[in-house]
Amino acid sequence: MASDLLLFQISSVSALIGMTLGWRGVMTRYSGFYDLPTAWSNVFWGILIGGLYGSSIYSYTIIPTIEFEASGEGQIANPVNLVLLCLIASIASHFILRRKRVRSGSSQTTSGWALGLAIGGMFGMVVIYAVLRIYEFNLQLALTVVLLSVLAPRCEAIISSYQGQMMLMGRKWGAILRATMWRCAYVVMFAYVLSAPIGWIFIIPVMLIANRASEDWIWNSIPKEGKKQLRKIWARQARERKMAKLTAEVGAKITPNESE
């Protein structure tokens, strides 16, 4: 069995990779059209909240579930603890996203995405650390670690971005309650796939559908003038890619003739 320090390093690096992929997938697409310093401050708060949230979920839900499924002994995780922890995380996210600097720029969705990436990254880190300590290494475990590192930050980012979108619409309590519901489902499914990998076929399709919807939430939060500028930038980039492709094709046709 590897040392705890090595396992912690593996879980930390895996979580950071997942956070980076989540940031590049959405936040870089709209770079320059949201408040970047505010987004980064939410990453900081997300690490703090995610550390407490992840360690609590680890102690009260993940470990009891793993031990119960492995040996059939002991007690199953108390669902009341799960609901309370997810509710507390949703309330904490609500207070972070209702700060004046977030509301002044109507950046609840982008700030929620950044906040959720950090919370999900910390959650993924503790879950990965748990499974690496308990299970013997094999191909199934390696696949589980990869999927956890990629999907845990993104799923939490989608939930927090959705919470920010509902706050932007003025549905504050609805945002908290729905985010709590989705967090509960998210934690239960991630605990389930640790012993039953078939659960990924339920997580991945839902994540892909919600990820597509999250792009609409972020797009709707951008001011009208910003949308016009983005369309112009994307159109110019599309023309540049098309011209580069045509140039490469013409160069490929000319090169053989010159060699003859």
Side-chain angles (χ1 to χ4, degrees):
M1 179 64 69
S3 67
D4 287 346
L5 177 59
L6 177 60
L7 297 182
F8 176 77
Q9 290 175 334
I10 293 173
S11 59
S12 300
V13 171
S14 300
L16 287 174
I17 291 173
M19 291 172 62
T20 302
L21 293 175
W23 186 278
R24 290 177 60 85
V26 174
M27 302 297 278
T28 53
R29 177 176 173 80
Y30 299 96
S31 179
F33 293 89
Y34 60 87
D35 188 353
L36 184 59
T38 300
W40 274 112
S41 72
N42 281 286
V43 171
F44 168 75
W45 286 109
I47 291 173
L48 293 181
I49 296 172
L52 297 173
Y53 172 66
S55 60
S56 300
I57 291 293
Y58 172 85
S59 300
Y60 293 104
T61 301
I62 300 296
I63 291 300
T65 300
I66 291 176
E67 291 177 347
F68 180 80
E69 292 177 348
S71 62
E73 298 178 355
Q75 295 181 348
I76 195 169
N78 190 342
V80 175
N81 291 334
L82 173 63
V83 173
L84 286 176
L85 291 173
C86 292
L87 178 61
I88 292 171
S90 298
I91 293 173
S93 299
H94 174 82
F95 282 111
I96 297 299
L97 296 178
R98 72 182 299 273
R99 291 180 300 162
K100 184 178 180 180
R101 64 185 301 182
V102 176
R103 290 185 285 111
S104 61
S106 298
S107 59
Q108 284 92 334
T109 52
T110 51
S111 294
W113 188 274
L115 177 69
L117 279 178
I119 296 175
M122 297 301 292
F123 171 81
M125 183 182 71
V126 298
V127 176
I128 291 171
Y129 179 73
V131 298
L132 288 176
R133 286 191 63 191
I134 294 173
Y135 296 116
E136 293 294 333
F137 183 81
N138 52 37
L139 181 60
Q140 178 180 320
L141 178 61
L143 180 61
T144 299
V145 169
V146 171
L147 290 173
L148 281 171
S149 64
V150 174
L151 298 184
R154 185 170 290 270
C155 287
E156 182 63 45
I158 291 172
I159 294 171
S160 296
S161 182
Y162 176 64
Q163 185 174 353
Q165 169 68 7
M166 294 196 69
M167 291 174 65
L168 195 60
M169 296 168 60
R171 302 172 63 181
K172 299 179 181 179
W173 283 107
I176 293 174
L177 294 177
R178 292 195 182 190
T180 300
M181 178 190 70
W182 281 109
R183 282 189 172 95
C184 289
Y186 154 81
V187 171
V188 168
M189 287 305 300
F190 273 76
Y192 173 71
V193 296
L194 299 181
S195 58
I198 194 173
W200 290 115
I201 67 174
F202 300 102
I203 294 177
I204 294 175
V206 174
M207 187 276 294
L208 292 175
I209 294 171
N211 188 72
R212 179 173 295 182
S214 68
E215 295 184 4
D216 294 333
W217 307 333
I218 295 175
W219 175 257
N220 292 334
S221 69
I222 298 175
K224 187 176 181 180
E225 290 300 320
K227 292 178 180 178
K228 291 181 180 179
Q229 295 180 25
L230 265 175
R231 290 192 182 99
K232 291 179 181 178
I233 292 172
W234 289 342
R236 184 177 69 251
Q237 291 175 345
R239 289 194 298 268
E240 291 174 352
R241 288 194 296 268
K242 185 176 181 180
M243 288 300 299
K245 183 178 180 180
L246 290 174
T247 302
E249 291 177 353
V250 171
K253 292 179 180 179
I254 293 175
T255 302
N257 294 332
E258 290 181 348
S259 61
E260 293 175 0

